[in-house]
Amino acid sequence: MKLFFTPVLLFLVNTLFAQPLQTYSSSEILHRLQKLEVFGTVLYIAAHPDDENTRLLSYLENERKLRTAYLSLTRGDGGQNLIGDEQGIELGLIRTQELLAARRIDGAEQYFTRAYDFGYSKSPEETLEKWGHDKILSDVVWIIRKLQPDVIIARFPTTGEGGHGHHTASAILAGEAFDAAADPAKFPEQFSYGVKPWKAKRLLWNSFNWGGSSVDREGQFKTDVGMYNPLLGKSYGEMAAESRSQHRSQGMGATLQRGESFEFFLPIKGDKPTTDIMENIETGPLRIPDKLYGDAIKKIISAYNPQQPSLSLPALIQLKQLLVKVKGYDNLVQFKIKEIDELIDAVSGLFLEATVSNQLNVVGDSLHFTVTFNNRNNLPVESAQVSVFGQTIRFTNLSNNINNIQKGAAFILKETPVSQPYWIEYPLEGEAFQIKNQQKTGLPEILNDNFKALFQVQVKGTLLTFSRNIQYKHTDPVKGELYQPAQFVYPVFINSSPSLILLRNNQDAQKKLTLTVQPNMDLSGKMTLSALVNNKPENFMDTSMHFSKGTVKTFNYVIHPDKIQNNSTTTLGMKLSSPVLYEDQMYSLRKIAYDHIPDIFYHYYDQVKIIKLDIKTSGKAIGYITGAGDKVPQALEQMGYTVTFLQENDFTVENLRRFDAIVTGVRAYNVNAWMDNVYEPLMNYVKAGGVLLVQYNTNNNIGKVTQRLFPYPFEISRTRVTDEIATVRFLESNHPLLNYPNKISTLDFDGWVQERSTYQAEKTDERYQRILSMNDPGEKPGDGSLIAADYGKGRLIYCGLSFFRQLPAGVPGAYRLMANLLAKPEK
């Protein structure tokens, strides 16, 4: 029998963020009471985090008071990152939390499909093929059947004006799902999970005039969404800007907008409204058959006392009892019951909290917790208790505004699942996540059920039940009291460093792999530490040891080049086995922390990639100017370079003279305002014989390059080559960048990941040599992915090639080409 008691929640409040339970002011409670009068649901569909129209979501949720949800097909894994070096899955984790932060501001709900953002795509055909058309369509259908929206709104058209292939694919799937959700023959396996066919009234396109396209379309209507909400104290333009500004990883900080603002809609399927998106749809209490409900909520609103919100508690309890009896309108009614439950919590004024003393809690070990009850609104409370970690704790002092604080300890069974974002529990299946539990599909995240506390409070004979997420609370000397999600973790973490090792063919230099074993609990007994080379075990150490909780033991594993085949890629992982452990330990824990979102943790199998290749380098010392964030410096160190990070004050003649090359990180000119201040020293460095390699920058509304890059003019375009296997043609086959110190061939472009290049150069001065040509299928060749110019005794290089993806991924040819770019011109 499991230790944990997982209650059936009578009242569920979503507290999926790094803050205490959200509380509401009196005016916000009144606003939420008014929402109880409105029945109606709108589902907005697009492709990525930050695609959503936050102004429209704010208006629908708060002015029209409709249930409003945003379905983002992906989690934005393939985008670029303006605030750090996280890419891929890690960036998707960040952008998921940024979307949830945005929804906490505008009030809408958030959902996803299984689609993985594999990077920029230029066609919906490629997108749907990689995702798996039917797989993602079924997810959209599932969300429609679960939410039962009256209206579905697509952000993008099916005709391609949205640009990105993912955008167009989202519109295509929205249209197909509109029909399929109503068809009992489509995805019938879903019906066993409680959904049923659902026919929305209409599908609209939230039309736009991006890129100069006309906003005047036949059959289109418009709605002003710019009004001010006095109960919330802000306009929907202001709310939208705050919401959109949560997408910090994408540089989406927005100016607060005020005043009249129109959104445009074009009917696509279903009936065709002419003036309003909810035209001819009943959105009042008449939507359900209970005739008493409408009058009851009107009385609650008219009697509401902002000085004493708790006076509304008895009437809200009675209102819930009315709805519980309504049959045949499960989706509408259950959502209203949820809203009423949240209002019961809000007007009660009860302070209910459950916290743990550590953020990381080990399965198979004990934890310490604290529960708090405070009847701060002086309700006539007759009894109060909390069920937490299988224990029931009763509170004895129920008087007004008295803190009842009780502490306890609990043992966490070793079989308890560790905390892990549910969509990365299994490897990717093509370009889609594997989710083996249908009920999880679409959810933004799922907190561990074992981190729930169930409070039961009896008020004048009525038992009220409140759920709280158990969180980690601490006080920061600068930021004050902070809440973060608590985590269940493995007993041992195993880390390897570095994550990528580069060996050269026919060279005997050994390299050292450092292994760290971090026990999260005391362990004693026989331990076997094994190396898994290409998933085949090789015992590294077999001995009796004692591990003390919190200590770190370090081991060195020597990589012998003669045991690694030339021109090969080898994976190496570590595993700790012991009778004192219930299973082999082979995982590590990654923490991602930014101030605007909760801490993110995920467990991963820490494998090292060992690449052995034919590579030569010239020079040793590299200066690196950090940009928005990338992992190129670590790759350069594996190549044998000494990397020094440069700040503005480092740009003196004497200091720069020691570098063979200076490299700017991705978007360095976008994020470092001081780059223009070091232009002259940089150019003098190049004149004297140095190499300046500038990785891609953007020149758009997110980030414009205002600093000088090079003395010879060129422009940064939005041209990119997204096909990672696109043919690469050599325009200057004799150029040193393709010949020294490595002879580059088209084979060096094999195995590239996600894309070839981004933000290429265009309108280049005649003094630049354009080295490569490439293009996506059906497009004209572009020659701006790699340009170079001699300047004095040195060389200027602008590079749109995606080294920031290829080098961390261990692409051999990318390393060989990078070595050439860093080589000084031969004298």
Side-chain angles (χ1 to χ4, degrees), residues 353-494:
E353 181 182 81
T355 62
V356 286
S357 57
N358 294 307
Q359 187 168 18
L360 304 183
N361 301 275
V362 183
V363 298
D365 202 359
S366 298
L367 58 72
H368 297 276
F369 63 85
T370 302
V371 290
T372 303
F373 170 86
N374 187 323
N375 181 16
R376 56 188 177 180
N377 219 11
N378 200 24
L379 295 179
V381 175
E382 297 162 345
S383 65
Q385 66 182 41
V386 60
S387 297
V388 56
F389 295 124
Q391 304 175 34
T392 298
I393 297 173
R394 289 175 172 81
F395 301 102
T396 55
N397 192 338
L398 310 178
S399 303
N400 180 47
N401 204 26
I402 299 297
N403 285 324
N404 284 256
I405 300 173
Q406 297 200 41
K407 297 180 180 295
F411 181 79
I412 311 302
L413 288 179
K414 61 185 181 182
E415 296 87 1
T416 302
V418 297
S419 302
Q420 184 78 338
Y422 78 90
W423 62 96
I424 61 172
E425 288 178 356
Y426 304 99
L428 282 170
E429 191 173 58
E431 300 294 353
F433 295 106
Q434 287 193 72
I435 300 174
K436 298 185 179 182
N437 183 336
Q438 179 65 41
Q439 297 286 15
K440 294 180 179 180
T441 300
L443 298 177
E445 63 178 350
I446 300 174
L447 297 188
N448 196 312
D449 281 343
N450 294 313
F451 276 127
K452 298 278 189 184
L454 190 71
F455 288 83
Q456 292 181 310
V457 182
Q458 185 158 307
V459 180
K460 295 187 71 173
T462 300
L463 184 64
L464 303 178
T465 304
F466 306 96
S467 174
R468 292 291 187 268
N469 291 322
I470 302 171
Q471 300 189 87
Y472 166 62
K473 183 174 78 170
H474 68 290
T475 301
D476 183 275
V478 175
K479 300 174 184 176
E481 186 174 85
L482 298 175
Y483 291 77
Q484 292 288 353
Q487 308 287 320
F488 281 141
V489 299
Y490 286 111
V492 179
F493 296 151
I494 299 179

Side-chain angles (χ1 to χ4, degrees), residues 230-265:
L231 290 179
L232 302 179
K234 59 186 71 175
S235 72
Y236 301 120
E238 292 171 313
M239 187 182 297
E242 292 176 12
S243 173
R244 190 160 190 77
S245 295
Q246 301 308 303
H247 296 294
R248 296 184 189 179
S249 68
Q250 305 306 296
M252 288 291 171
T255 302
L256 302 185
Q257 301 292 319
R258 301 168 187 87
E260 185 179 71
S261 180
F262 288 94
E263 290 294 334
F264 296 83
F265 303 93

